[in-house]
Amino acid sequence: MHKQIFRRRTLVRAASFLLAAFVVVGGLALQARARAEAYRLYLENGYRHAFAELSANLNELDVALQKGIYATSPSMLGALCTQIYGKAMSAQMALGELPYSNVELEQTAAFLAKAGDYAAALSRSAAVTGVCSDEQREALRGLSAGASDLSARVAGLQSDLMGGAVTLEDLEAAEARLSAAEGGGHTLADSSYQTVESDFPELPSLIYDGPFSEHIAGRTPAMLEGREDVTQDEARLAAARFLNLKPELFTLVSAGSGRLPTYSFSAMVDGGELYVEVTRRGGLVVELLHSRPVESAALSREEAVAAAAAFLTSRGYPNMTESYFIDQGNVLTINFAAQQGEVLCYPDLVKVSVALDNGRVVGFESEGYLMNHTLRDLPRFPVSLGKAQAALSPELDILSHRLALIPTGGEYEVLTHEFKCQSADGRHVLVYINAQTGQEEKILILLEDESGTLVI
């Protein structure tokens, strides 16, 4: 009798424990579901907010562009260009919060970048010339038409989203559809936003001093003009000679196209992979990277700079002057620029990385030099050193001066007085005064620590 009672109590107790376990598990499941639902709502609110921000900024961008067409004073045009730039950047930030791949948003993002950069360039131009040309007004009119069209389409998509015609699940599946398209499934047209991209309005050709100017795309590298194309084997030999290695060590990786078509080679040297790019025209090394580990430093920075300078001279880069360097992982990377007479030509940039354990070059980049280097007919500078100094802020003390050729936002160059200065708090600042106009051209801040100097 007692055994039966004990057995019954045991069964009741086990059933109670099992029921309690089910209750706990069910509670945890409900809690997890509630968290997931809260997270989904959080994402929904974030996406809705991003759409609202994108739509609002596109509309305000269009309004500012329209106003810019009618501005006649430099001050008003400058203020409107500031608005255009700000709205374009805000729209880009909102765009980055949407659940799309970069491929789907390519045209929209490119339009916003172009509009913002063109406005910044126009503001600088108007500050100097005091006028806005007919061509510039036409460019603003074309950008305004593009912004108006894009704004209307995004507003329509936002309306569909708010009305339920398009769901957030559709938006979040955009990247999945992109992957499926690559595999032969759904197409990019399945994305509601891709409809906006596929019907993107035609934009004006922007000809200005900036990176999105149409005339820059077809520019020929200055150092490659008049040179013949090389074969794959000739490029391999050029890579080997540049590094004093045997050609048979190098294996072709790819044959690239674009603005600076190259042959790419790899080789295993000294326990690390060596990657080299050689231009298809002229057979010049444009980049190399050696991935071998550099465990210790046996050379001083001065010795590494001297080794880099000697390397450049022996490879056909004479009259190069070092500027700034940075030490990372026992590898010193030095920036060099070509010197023409008393003028330092910053567009002719070459970067050399030297391993501090044995002084060998483990990195090289010469695209700036290949694109820009030539013997220049430098203008005379009517603005004297004294007049240039007068344009500096009284809060800066001059530490050094030299003449420097600096690049503009596009393909052009300007001769300047370069002043290295120090502020009251000890910060070092570079100020560039246009040697033709006496106006401030650029201000850079030097961030200096034990590893080297970063210019911003």
Side-chain angles (χ1 to χ4, degrees), residues 8 30 49 51-52 69 75 87 90 108 126 133 135 144 146 171 185 223 234 259 303 325 328 355 361 379:
R8 187 180 297 115
L30 289 173
H49 176 72
F51 262 108
I69 298 170
S75 59
K87 296 305 177 184
S90 296
T108 306
S133 68
E135 291 79 7
S144 173
L171 304 180
M223 283 292 291
E234 289 171 334
R259 183 175 68 166
E303 290 172 325
F325 62 82
Q328 293 178 310
V361 171

Side-chain angles (χ1 to χ4, degrees), residues 319-339:
N319 303 319
M320 303 296 290
T321 300
E322 71 275 9
S323 53
Y324 303 103
F325 62 82
I326 188 166
D327 186 345
Q328 293 178 310
N330 296 319
V331 173
L332 191 73
T333 299
I334 311 107
N335 290 328
F336 288 86
Q339 186 86 29

Side-chain angles (χ1 to χ4, degrees), residues 11 15 23 62 66 77 83 152 156 192 220 235 264 276 278 324 329 359 370 395 412 424 449:
L11 291 173
V23 170
D62 178 28
Q66 291 183 46
L77 182 60
Q83 288 184 30
S192 298
T220 302
S264 301
V276 186
V278 180
Y324 303 103
L370 298 185
E395 297 186 10
Y412 302 111
D449 58 21

Side-chain angles (χ1 to χ4, degrees), residues 72 80 114 152 169 211 238 307 324 336 356 361 366 397 412:
T72 58
L80 290 170
K114 289 179 180 179
E169 285 75 14
Y324 303 103
F336 288 86
L356 296 179
V361 171
S366 64
D397 293 325
Y412 302 111

Side-chain angles (χ1 to χ4, degrees), residues 294-371:
V294 183
E295 303 293 348
S296 60
L299 278 70
S300 67
R301 290 177 177 174
E302 291 76 14
E303 290 172 325
V305 170
F311 177 87
L312 287 177
T313 300
S314 65
R315 267 64 178 181
Y317 291 85
N319 303 319
M320 303 296 290
T321 300
E322 71 275 9
S323 53
Y324 303 103
F325 62 82
I326 188 166
D327 186 345
Q328 293 178 310
N330 296 319
V331 173
L332 191 73
T333 299
I334 311 107
N335 290 328
F336 288 86
Q339 186 86 29
Q340 183 174 328
E342 57 182 330
V343 179
L344 186 63
C345 301
Y346 279 114
D348 303 358
L349 179 67
V350 178
K351 294 182 181 180
V352 182
S353 299
V354 177
L356 296 179
D357 57 354
N358 59 15
R360 293 180 182 173
V361 171
V362 293
F364 176 83
E365 183 182 328
S366 64
E367 182 174 352
Y369 190 95
L370 298 185
M371 290 297 300

Side-chain angles (χ1 to χ4, degrees), residues 46-328:
Y47 294 153
R48 292 180 190 277
H49 176 72
F51 262 108
E53 285 292 305
L54 177 61
S55 182
N57 280 294
L58 281 171
N59 181 62
E60 293 170 5
L61 172 63
D62 178 28
V63 171
L65 283 164
Q66 291 183 46
K67 291 179 179 179
I69 298 170
Y70 309 113
T72 58
S73 67
S75 59
M76 177 57 70
L77 182 60
L80 290 170
C81 284
T82 300
Q83 288 184 30
I84 294 168
Y85 181 83
K87 296 305 177 184
M89 294 304 101
S90 296
Q92 278 188 301
M93 292 178 63
L95 201 63
E97 296 177 11
L98 296 179
Y100 296 108
S101 70
N102 290 333
V103 174
E104 284 193 283
L105 300 174
E106 182 178 2
Q107 292 190 81
T108 306
F111 168 75
L112 294 173
K114 289 179 180 179
D117 189 76
Y118 184 74
L122 183 56
S123 178
R124 292 192 298 268
S125 173
V128 175
T129 64
V131 296
C132 181
S133 68
D134 292 340
E135 291 79 7
Q136 290 169 333
R137 293 187 195 281
E138 280 303 310
L140 287 175
R141 188 172 284 108
L143 289 172
S144 173
S148 180
D149 191 303
L150 184 59
S151 177
R153 294 177 188 277
V154 171
L157 180 57
Q158 185 187 13
S159 177
D160 289 343
L161 177 64
M162 300 302 291
V166 176
T167 67
L168 283 167
E169 285 75 14
D170 293 334
L171 304 180
E172 291 168 347
E175 290 199 39
R177 282 196 295 274
L178 177 64
S179 299
E182 293 172 349
H186 295 283
T187 66
L188 287 175
D190 292 337
S191 166
S192 298
Y193 202 96
Q194 190 62 29
T195 302
V196 178
E197 285 274 298
S198 63
D199 296 334
F200 206 88
E202 184 176 352
L203 299 177
S205 295
L206 302 179
I207 306 297
Y208 72 109
D209 187 21
F212 299 106
S213 181
E214 300 294 332
H215 70 291
I216 292 180
R219 183 181 170 209
T220 302
M223 283 292 291
L224 303 186
E225 288 185 1
R227 294 178 182 263
E228 299 292 330
D229 287 349
V230 299
T231 66
Q232 189 181 122
D233 289 337
E234 289 171 334
R236 179 184 286 106
L237 182 59
R241 286 176 175 171
F242 194 78
L243 293 163
N244 294 327
L245 296 172
K246 296 180 179 180
E248 52 267 27
L249 292 175
F250 293 88
T251 302
L252 182 70
V253 176
S254 64
S257 57
R259 183 175 68 166
L260 198 61
T262 60
Y263 291 109
S264 301
F265 301 94
S266 68
M268 292 303 298
V269 179
D270 294 338
E273 184 178 8
L274 178 63
Y275 175 81
V276 186
E277 286 189 3
V278 180
T279 61
R280 298 175 73 172
R281 177 183 289 187
L284 300 178
V285 173
V286 63
E287 184 177 5
L288 77 84
L289 181 64
H290 196 181
S291 65
R292 77 170 180 85
V294 183
E295 303 293 348
S296 60
L299 278 70
S300 67
R301 290 177 177 174
E302 291 76 14
E303 290 172 325
V305 170
F311 177 87
L312 287 177
T313 300
S314 65
R315 267 64 178 181
Y317 291 85
N319 303 319
M320 303 296 290
T321 300
E322 71 275 9
S323 53
Y324 303 103
F325 62 82
I326 188 166
D327 186 345
Q328 293 178 310

